Amino acid sequence: MNKILRKYNHEQLLNQLDLLSQREKANLEECLSIINFEDIAKLYKDVYVDRKIELPQNIKDINTTIINDISEEEILKIKNIGLRGIEEGKFAAVLMAGGQGTRLEHNGPKGTFKFEGISLFEMQARQIKILSETLNVTIPWVIMTSNINHEETLQFFEVNQYFNLNKENVHFFIQPNIVALSESGELLLNEDKQLMTTPNGNGGIFEALQTSGINQLLKQMGVTHIYLNNIDNVLVKVLDPILCGYAIESDAEVTTKTIRAKENESAGRVVEVDGKKQVIEYTELPEGKENIYRNANIGIHIFKLDFIMQHASSEIPYHLAVKQLAQLDETFTVVKKPTLKFEKFYFDIFKYADTFKTVQFDRLEEFSPLKNKEGTDSIATAYEALKRMHRL
């Protein structure tokens, strides 16, 4: 192992090995033994050293169905198609909930944050329970956690008796991790004297759904579509029958719910490039064209199950995030330094789809993200939205 570490210039880790106990050293070497050092070196070079953002030249706004332009009669028809699909067991709800409530100064998984005693997890569970009882159908609820919050999340569900859902219908899986690196490309030790890794972004969900066996389980249950959303939009409509109806009617591999972007809004835009759906982050939009593309991405999508099974191992690129993370320096002192995190984004799988449907909904009814303790997208704005929509 020393030879490999030296070859790939992991000098600090090489020196730290001598300061570890025999057990700590054995654990670390076991972790290092499954690492592809060549792949890590290439990732560092491609995503950090030679980093360049190349925007496609021929971006255009994607063809969109705008709900406010649709007649009540047509919406009711679509909604009934969706309700019938849910009733027939075609849909599973999939929740991305791998984050902590750090920015809210909340100690624990973000999903455990409460408004008037009701957690974000319970808000979504209640919606699934109502649909299940109204339609007399078993609805699988699949929840992606991360290694930093998995045990706490499970414990929270146990303590709360799964919010009166059948425990057998709630499935958890952990998103994959990837090594973090120093700015010089070296592997690091965390505060526990273990190899530092971080969750590999929400784009790791497709690989994890497959390797965990969840996809195969859903397939056996007769599920044909997964309804994907995240934990922090307090107004999310889990298994919205209207969006489900459009997914069935269009027979699209990817169906996306959007809202109309505000002027200069810091939200990714759902666009079309070379006939494919794509999300471009606001910061990466061509200068002067930030407000041309009207569909803001709010992280609510329906995927055909066969599509994500087919592309579970298809390549999705890594993106770079530089964060101040606690780690051990060469003297085993805990320090916070800029650290390279590598993340995949779930929407990069869009490029593999041939058929799409995009439906734009009303922002006030659909979207209020909980990201910050104060200010924009904060506890106060989320609470106000919940009260306005009579969700509490």
Side-chain angles (χ1 to χ4, degrees):
M1 185 54 66
N2 288 16
K3 188 176 177 183
I4 294 175
L5 290 175
R6 191 167 286 111
K7 176 184 175 183
Y8 288 95
N9 301 313
H10 298 290
E11 297 293 337
Q12 177 174 291
L13 192 60
L14 192 59
N15 295 331
Q16 288 172 324
L17 280 174
D18 295 332
L19 301 175
L20 295 172
S21 69
Q22 284 300 317
R23 175 177 288 181
E24 290 165 345
K25 187 174 181 179
N27 288 339
L28 178 60
E29 289 184 338
E30 186 179 345
C31 291
L32 293 173
S33 69
I34 60 174
I35 286 179
N36 187 318
F37 282 84
E38 189 64 39
D39 285 353
I40 296 299
K42 185 176 187 306
L43 181 66
Y44 172 69
K45 186 173 187 299
D46 292 347
V47 181
Y48 182 67
V49 177
D50 296 338
R51 186 187 187 202
K52 52 180 180 285
I53 298 169
E54 291 185 350
L55 277 171
Q57 297 301 308
N58 50 344
I59 307 170
K60 66 177 186 178
D61 215 353
I62 197 159
N63 184 37
T64 308
T65 296
I66 299 174
I67 282 293
N68 288 341
D69 295 342
I70 306 298
S71 70
E72 288 185 18
E73 183 183 8
E74 179 66 15
I75 289 175
L76 182 59
K77 178 188 136 191
I78 293 293
K79 182 177 180 179
N80 285 334
I81 292 172
L83 286 170
R84 190 158 59 249
I86 298 168
E87 186 178 24
E88 291 170 354
K90 292 180 177 178
F91 288 87
V94 179
L95 171 63
M96 296 186 290
Q100 293 288 87
T102 311
R103 284 163 63 183
L104 307 175
E105 295 184 14
H106 169 69
N107 184 25
K110 184 179 275 191
T112 64
F113 187 87
K114 295 179 180 179
F115 290 95
E116 295 187 0
I118 305 169
S119 68
L120 300 183
F121 281 132
E122 184 172 356
M123 289 179 192
Q124 298 201 19
R126 286 180 174 187
Q127 296 181 57
I128 293 170
K129 185 168 176 59
I130 289 170
L131 271 174
S132 297
E133 292 180 345
T134 304
L135 301 175
N136 191 27
V137 63
T138 296
I139 298 174
W141 193 20
V142 179
I143 300 169
M144 181 172 78
T145 62
S146 65
N147 67 329
I148 59 175
N149 76 359
H150 183 73
E151 293 303 325
E152 277 187 281
T153 300
L154 290 184
Q155 185 179 12
F156 189 75
F157 271 74
E158 290 286 347
V159 167
N160 288 278
Q161 299 179 316
Y162 284 73
F163 311 106
N164 297 316
L165 293 172
N166 187 332
K167 179 178 177 178
E168 293 179 2
N169 300 330
V170 183
H171 311 276
F172 298 90
F173 68 103
I174 303 175
Q175 71 183 105
N177 271 26
I178 186 171
V179 294
L181 300 175
S182 70
E183 290 184 298
S184 59
E186 293 195 51
L187 294 166
L188 301 165
L189 290 182
N190 63 23
E191 296 169 275
D192 299 321
K193 301 180 183 178
Q194 296 171 347
L195 187 67
M196 181 184 284
T197 64
T198 57
N200 75 341
N202 53 38
I205 189 169
F206 304 110
E207 172 194 349
L209 278 168
Q210 189 74 8
T211 56
S212 65
I214 296 287
N215 280 344
Q216 293 78 2
L217 175 66
L218 296 179
K219 186 82 172 170
Q220 289 167 7
M221 295 176 68
V223 169
T224 58
H225 294 76
I226 70 161
Y227 189 107
L228 180 72
N229 62 266
N230 53 35
I231 191 61
D232 58 12
N233 177 9
V234 300
L235 292 186
V236 65
K237 295 176 182 174
V238 182
L239 292 175
D240 176 8
I242 296 174
L243 194 67
C244 292
Y246 276 115
I248 292 172
E249 187 201 46
S250 67
D251 199 34
E253 290 170 312
V254 180
T255 303
T256 295
K257 175 179 281 195
T258 66
I259 56 174
R260 185 172 185 84
K262 293 179 181 177
E263 290 286 299
N264 301 318
E265 183 171 12
S266 299
R269 304 294 198 268
V270 183
V271 296
E272 185 177 314
V273 178
D274 297 327
K276 298 285 187 180
K277 181 179 283 191
Q278 186 172 324
V279 174
I280 297 182
E281 289 302 324
Y282 173 76
T283 52
E284 297 177 2
L285 287 165
E287 191 174 348
K289 295 188 176 180
E290 295 89 343
N291 297 313
I292 291 176
Y293 311 108
R294 67 186 187 278
N295 285 290
N297 178 42
I298 58 173
I300 301 173
H301 311 276
I302 296 175
F303 296 94
K304 274 191 172 181
L305 181 57
D306 284 346
F307 169 72
I308 62 167
M309 290 181 78
Q310 180 184 351
H311 293 288
S313 346
S314 295
E315 183 184 356
I316 294 180
Y318 274 102
H319 302 261
L320 177 68
V322 182
K323 302 283 186 180
Q324 292 283 338
L325 298 182
Q327 56 202 267
L328 297 180
D329 67 9
E330 59 276 0
T331 65
F332 269 29
T333 304
V334 178
V335 293
K336 274 197 170 184
K337 287 186 176 181
T339 307
L340 310 184
K341 290 180 63 180
F342 302 98
E343 300 175 328
K344 294 180 178 181
F345 298 152
Y346 67 85
F347 47 71
D348 282 331
I349 204 172
F350 290 174
K351 65 183 177 183
Y352 295 111
D354 294 319
T355 51
F356 312 92
K357 180 71 182 178
T358 305
V359 189
Q360 187 183 106
F361 287 76
D362 188 313
R363 173 191 297 267
L364 289 176
E365 295 182 7
E366 303 282 348
F367 187 60
S368 182
L370 176 61
K371 295 185 179 297
N372 307 306
K373 185 181 179 184
E374 297 174 331
T376 308
D377 299 338
S378 65
I379 295 171
T381 59
Y383 182 66
E384 180 187 350
L386 286 166
K387 298 293 280 187
R388 186 187 70 244
M389 295 305 298
H390 309 290
R391 294 285 193 95
L392 289 174

